[in-house]
Amino acid sequence: MKTLEDYQNGHVLLIDKPLEWTSFQVVNKLRWHIKQRFNIKKIKVGHAGTLDPLATGLLILCTGKKTKIIDQYQAQIKEYTGTITLGATTPSYDLETEINETFATEHISEALIHKTTQQFTGIIQQKPPIFSAIKKEGVRLYELARKGETTEIKTREITIPVFEITKIDGNNLDFRVVCSKGTYIRSLAYDFGIALNSGAHLSALRRTKIGDFHVNNAVSIDEFIANLSE
């Protein structure tokens, strides 16, 4: 059982983030329960890499003095699995927003799908989605997007060692991606649709690994709270 001193000196928590929770909500929830458990007024808790609300999976949280090394975890290689749906796009590149355009998919063969993944492996340039937490002149891009404002977004260099399609079910493509910090899987889905002379959006996403940490070793929020109160 972890003591208050353990959390203050620094503890690394592996949480399996549930669907529709923001990473910030997870941090707030766990911070509140740690404060309640030990009857303290404050404790530092931070996460090492945001997961979108519609994504599930591994979220690393650091407490106390370990929050000073969050950047080290954020910089590590990550692995994701999920589903790309062909034939339609959304402004957010995922299911946060409604479909805004549809495209033909009859010309897309399984061979073309697998061949096209090669365009997205190695060191590539990627443009983050307008619906992202990146700040421009102090304002987060998603705040501008929700107001209907457009802004120029610069591409950034990322590395994708692995991008493979693991299952094809009609227009739904299951995938596994291993990528560097700063990669947007939503942008990968959108760009993949364009490369297929069609359109696509991300319909499911799960983060499975960050460095050597695996989601199989993570606990749910409820499990963490139950363990904390024992």
Side-chain angles (χ1 to χ4, degrees):
M1 182 185 290
K2 293 286 186 279
T3 64
L4 172 58
E5 190 176 13
D6 290 328
Y7 285 104
Q8 290 173 330
N9 286 336
H11 187 41
V12 177
L13 311 173
L14 305 184
I15 300 297
D16 188 347
K17 188 190 85 64
L19 193 66
E20 296 184 348
W21 282 61
T22 68
S23 301
F24 191 61
Q25 284 174 325
V26 177
V27 169
N28 276 348
K29 182 82 168 178
L30 270 57
R31 183 195 292 121
W32 186 86
H33 278 278
I34 292 169
K35 289 194 298 183
Q36 290 294 111
R37 169 66 178 83
F38 297 108
N39 195 27
I40 54 176
K41 289 190 175 179
K42 64 179 184 177
I43 179 87
K44 285 185 177 179
V45 182
H47 67 76
T50 302
L51 263 181
D52 289 335
L54 294 182
T56 65
L58 183 59
L59 189 66
I60 295 179
L61 272 63
C62 296
T63 74
K65 294 176 181 177
K66 279 284 176 75
T67 55
K68 294 178 181 178
I69 60 168
I70 276 178
D71 287 349
Q72 294 179 25
Y73 296 119
Q74 286 180 326
Q76 294 183 18
I77 289 286
K78 299 172 180 68
E79 179 188 78
Y80 296 87
T81 60
T83 304
I84 294 170
T85 299
L86 302 178
T89 56
T90 72
S92 60
Y93 302 171
D94 65 4
L95 295 176
E96 183 184 341
T97 53
E98 298 291 325
I99 288 170
N100 63 348
E101 200 169 353
T102 57
F103 301 83
T105 58
E106 293 80 6
H107 64 284
I108 302 174
S109 64
E110 290 194 12
L112 180 62
I113 288 169
H114 289 295
K115 182 180 179 182
T116 305
T117 61
Q118 297 170 19
Q119 296 180 32
F120 297 93
T121 56
I123 299 172
I124 65 171
Q125 294 293 320
Q126 184 186 73
K127 184 180 287 188
I130 182 69
F131 279 82
S132 66
I134 295 171
K135 285 185 177 180
K136 186 168 185 178
E137 298 176 357
V139 181
R140 297 198 184 277
L141 291 182
Y142 65 74
E143 293 176 5
L144 296 175
R146 285 170 184 159
K147 292 177 184 176
E149 297 179 22
T150 58
T151 184
E152 184 61 33
I153 305 172
K154 292 182 180 179
T155 62
R156 52 172 66 179
E157 186 177 275
I158 59 165
T159 304
I160 300 181
V162 178
F163 176 29
E164 61 178 356
I165 303 301
T166 56
K167 181 183 176 183
I168 298 175
D169 181 11
N171 283 338
N172 293 316
L173 315 178
D174 290 354
F175 66 86
R176 183 177 77 95
V177 169
V178 178
C179 58
S180 65
K181 174 188 175 183
T183 302
Y184 279 87
I185 309 300
R186 286 182 286 141
S187 288
L188 177 62
Y190 179 81
D191 294 340
F192 192 61
I194 292 174
L196 290 168
N197 291 315
S198 183
H201 62 276
L202 187 66
S203 50
L205 184 65
R206 182 165 176 79
R207 186 157 64 196
T208 47
K209 290 182 72 176
I210 300 175
D212 293 329
F213 297 102
H214 199 287
V215 71
N216 288 350
N217 299 317
V219 297
S220 69
I221 293 171
D222 288 342
E223 285 176 305
F224 173 81
I225 293 169
N227 294 337
L228 186 67
S229 61
E230 281 181 358

